[in-house]
Amino acid sequence: AVRLVESGGGSVQAGGSLRLSCAASGYTYSSYCMGWFRQAPGKEREGVAGIYSGGGSTYYADSVKGRFGVSQDNAKSTLNLTMNSLRPEDTAMYYCAETAEGTCGLQSFYYKYWGQGTPVTVSS
């Protein structure tokens, strides 16, 4: 099994930045994807950004392109999400997730393992 623990959430004013991290431990698949999802109160969970472990290909939702950046450390044990130019509509619980194989995307059904989430609040 894979254990995912997010950190780095908090409160920030619009236009500010935050960096979320996700520490992964447990089993390491030979090919997998990791992603960030978010869910605001009363809304469905949506994919924000993802990365493929094999070649580093990244994926972003249109709503965050140019503002958010997803990366893994060299050991691939930590997934990061750098969030710039934050907007009030970015307010949500942010979740880290990992697949059990190398098919990637921003749809939640690809992902088998999930963290508990870290909250992000952006005030205007």
Side-chain angles (χ1 to χ4, degrees), residues 32-110:
Y32 61 95
C33 304
M34 294 191 76
W36 287 98
F37 290 76
R38 66 186 182 187
Q39 187 166 19
K43 294 188 177 182
E44 293 186 355
R45 182 169 53 190
E46 63 170 338
V48 175
I51 187 167
Y52 173 54
S53 66
S57 297
T58 55
Y59 310 83
Y60 295 96
D62 288 343
S63 59
V64 306
K65 280 180 182 176
R67 300 189 299 124
F68 289 14
V70 63
S71 62
Q72 278 184 301
D73 67 352
N74 288 337
K76 296 184 180 178
S77 60
T78 302
L79 180 72
N80 300 303
L81 184 68
T82 302
M83 305 186 294
N84 298 315
S85 303
L86 283 162
R87 305 167 180 168
E89 54 264 40
D90 295 318
T91 295
M93 185 69 80
Y94 282 72
Y95 299 91
C96 172
E98 183 173 323
T99 67
E101 44 85 32
T103 302
C104 297
L106 295 180
Q107 294 75 29
S108 59
F109 61 76
Y110 286 123

Side-chain angles (χ1 to χ4, degrees), residues 7 9 12 15 21 25 28 36 40 47 59 66 78 98 103 106 114 118 120:
S7 62
V12 64
S21 293
S25 61
T28 300
W36 287 98
Y59 310 83
T78 302
E98 183 173 323
T103 302
L106 295 180
W114 294 83
T118 186
V120 171

Side-chain angles (χ1 to χ4, degrees), residues 12-28:
V12 64
Q13 289 192 328
S17 299
L18 280 175
R19 181 179 172 91
L20 305 184
S21 293
C22 172
S25 61
Y27 184 79
T28 300

